[in-house]
Amino acid sequence: EVQLLESGGGMVQPGGSLRLSCAISGFTFSKYAMSWVRQAPGKGLEWVASISASGVSTYYADSVNGRFVISRANSGDTLHLQLNSLRREDTAVYYCAKVRLGIVEVANDHWGQGTLVTVSS
Amino acid sequence: SYVLTQPPSVSVAPGQTAKIACGGDNIGTKSVHWYQQRPGQAPVLVIYYDTDRPSGIPERFSGSNSGNSATLTISRAEAGDEADYYCQVWDNSRNQQVFGGGTKLTVL
């Protein structure tokens, strides 16, 4: 059974940093691309970033480009998202998602339960 | 940037057919994926590549895509289908995933 478990969320002040992690099980991590998608309270889904299976290629939404960094440790079956220069509008539940293939251009077929990031002073 | 437009809400009577539209410029040339999100839960993929169903998704869920609109069709609607539904594509020109704004389906 595919499982994704996010961790690292919490409350942080504007301008601060946070590192999210996603531990996976039930599939061969190194064969699949991965994504982070967020959802602000009461709002819709917003794609944040994706990374190819090898980790060589990364892609970002305009709203986070230059502030967030997606990375993966294939040896440890873990996906990360480094959040820097946080703003109040970054407050959201952050979901880790497995992409159906090794490339990022296809659907996210499994999702974690999410971790809440709150940016507030 | 590429924009996907969905109606905010759709209502359907139990046992009837619900259609949720997703509009985008020449969306028929892209692969569209659909997600169901029940209140308080993570999204679930219900349709990928316009028409394909993941294992475990009922045949009542189907999709189509042509021209400037893609459609998610839910036949014989049930109370358990009440959820928010999101369409999604990959924008090749900017290398970004794009989600529609979401549609709240009410079964009443």
Side-chain angles (χ1 to χ4, degrees), chain A residues 36-118:
Chain A
W36 287 97
V37 177
R38 69 184 180 183
Q39 186 169 36
K43 302 298 185 182
L45 300 176
E46 180 189 14
W47 172 74
V48 174
S50 294
I51 187 168
S52 63
S54 66
V56 169
S57 300
T58 57
Y59 308 86
Y60 296 93
D62 293 347
S63 58
V64 307
N65 195 24
R67 299 188 300 124
F68 292 8
V69 178
I70 188 172
S71 62
R72 63 190 297 157
N74 283 350
S75 58
D77 289 351
T78 308
L79 177 72
H80 300 287
L81 185 68
Q82 178 69 38
L83 289 67
N84 300 321
S85 302
L86 282 162
R87 306 166 179 167
R88 287 183 173 81
E89 55 265 33
D90 294 320
T91 294
V93 172
Y94 285 73
Y95 293 102
C96 161
K98 169 186 169 291
V99 180
R100 283 191 66 251
L101 300 173
I103 57 174
V104 300
E105 295 91 334
V106 297
N108 304 308
D109 63 353
H110 290 87
W111 298 62
Q113 286 304 305
T115 186
L116 176 62
V117 172
T118 302

Side-chain angles (χ1 to χ4, degrees), chain B residues 20-70:
Chain B
I20 299 174
C22 175
D25 186 37
N26 283 323
I27 195 174
T29 63
K30 300 181 181 299
S31 291
V32 179
H33 318 298
W34 291 91
Y35 303 89
Q36 174 194 67
Q37 187 180 32
R38 295 188 173 105
Q41 297 187 19
V44 172
L45 179 68
V46 294
I47 293 289
Y48 63 99
Y49 286 155
D50 298 339
T51 61
D52 292 350
R53 271 188 320 277
S55 61
I57 300 301
E59 292 183 6
R60 301 185 297 104
F61 287 80
S62 62
S64 62
N65 184 20
S66 178
N68 291 314
S69 185

